[in-house]
Amino acid sequence: MENNEMILLVRGARQRDTRCQLALIEGFRPLMLSMIRRYIYEMDAVDDYLSEAAIVLLNAVETFNEDLGVPFSGYLKKELFYYFVNVAKVHQNFYSLDSSARDEDSFSLLNSLADATDIEGDYLRAADLSALQQYLPRLRERQRWIIEEHYGKNRSFREIAGSIGVSANSLVKLHRRAIADLRTYFGLELVN
């Protein structure tokens, strides 16, 4: 679009000529899309931002001053730049771990982070292991050994089987019998 043609379109758009306004919007569509892609990261809302860019263009038509000697395309580019930079600033999410998680709460984000420490779980596991230690002597020696290896040392059946040269399936069966005996000692009904 030549500068003279653009000036005529700007003047017509300023007089509320719909054809001139639409011609400017279509003519500057690539510039508006470029600014949206550069400064806005919500690609699912491109149509919404394109509408906003058209509004910025129409406002720029109203505020453009030909007497300053600045081409309208340069003026519009700066207007779009400032508009989309401000939109991007508003949509940025800066969180401080010391700030509250919600406006009305005094609960900080730091307190809401997942913690690998499971105090209750560790306590319950220790209590279960203590009870298990009480009933382990009642098991046969190989059953007691598989329970200690699997639960006490956190070893997998495959790992244990590889170290002693037996199949993992035989250790699973031995484990299943040991668990069944422990359930009997604890007075629990067998589920399977």
Side-chain angles (χ1 to χ4, degrees):
M1 186 179 321
E2 285 186 30
N3 195 34
N4 290 337
E5 182 186 353
M6 191 182 323
I7 294 295
L8 292 174
L9 288 173
V10 169
R11 288 177 183 162
R14 191 175 288 146
Q15 299 301 320
R16 308 281 190 257
D17 183 353
T18 307
R19 286 179 309 186
C20 292
Q21 291 174 338
L22 290 175
L24 282 173
I25 291 170
E26 280 306 308
F28 285 106
R29 182 180 173 93
L31 174 65
M32 294 186 291
L33 286 171
S34 170
M35 290 294 196
I36 292 168
R37 282 190 208 105
R38 187 172 296 148
Y39 298 107
I40 304 298
Y41 300 107
E42 300 171 56
M43 286 301 128
D44 55 330
V46 169
D47 290 337
D48 294 336
Y49 288 117
L50 200 53
S51 297
E52 291 180 28
I55 293 170
V56 170
L57 182 143
L58 295 175
N59 286 335
V61 164
E62 296 297 322
T63 58
F64 178 66
N65 188 350
E66 294 176 47
D67 299 334
L68 296 177
V70 176
F72 180 74
S73 57
Y75 180 74
L76 177 62
K77 186 175 181 179
K78 288 296 180 190
E79 290 290 311
L80 288 169
F81 168 79
Y82 288 118
Y83 178 79
F84 284 117
V85 165
N86 286 332
V87 168
K89 284 180 185 177
V90 168
H91 287 99
Q92 279 182 339
N93 294 323
F94 291 109
Y95 294 109
S96 168
L97 293 178
D98 294 326
S99 67
S100 64
R102 292 173 202 89
D103 291 336
E104 68 275 357
D105 293 343
S106 61
F107 189 72
S108 75
L109 290 174
L110 184 61
N111 293 335
S112 67
L113 292 177
D115 189 5
T117 307
D118 181 16
I119 296 171
E120 294 87 3
D122 291 345
Y123 176 78
L124 291 174
R125 182 163 189 218
D128 289 345
L129 286 175
S130 174
L132 186 60
Q133 291 296 328
Q134 181 182 2
Y135 286 99
L136 276 179
R138 296 183 184 180
L139 294 176
R140 291 185 297 269
E141 185 178 343
R142 282 190 55 82
Q143 289 177 333
R144 186 171 49 249
W145 173 79
I146 193 65
I147 296 294
E148 289 172 349
E149 288 292 313
H150 184 64
Y151 294 106
K153 297 179 182 175
N154 289 325
R155 295 178 67 193
S156 69
F157 293 121
R158 193 172 290 177
E159 182 183 346
I160 299 168
S163 68
I164 62 170
V166 297
S167 74
N169 198 26
S170 65
L171 292 179
V172 169
K173 289 178 183 177
L174 177 64
H175 171 263
R176 201 175 292 146
R177 284 192 305 269
I179 295 297
D181 288 349
L182 283 172
R183 286 182 176 166
T184 302
Y185 293 136
F186 278 111
L188 301 172
E189 291 184 28
L190 293 178
V191 175
N192 33 351

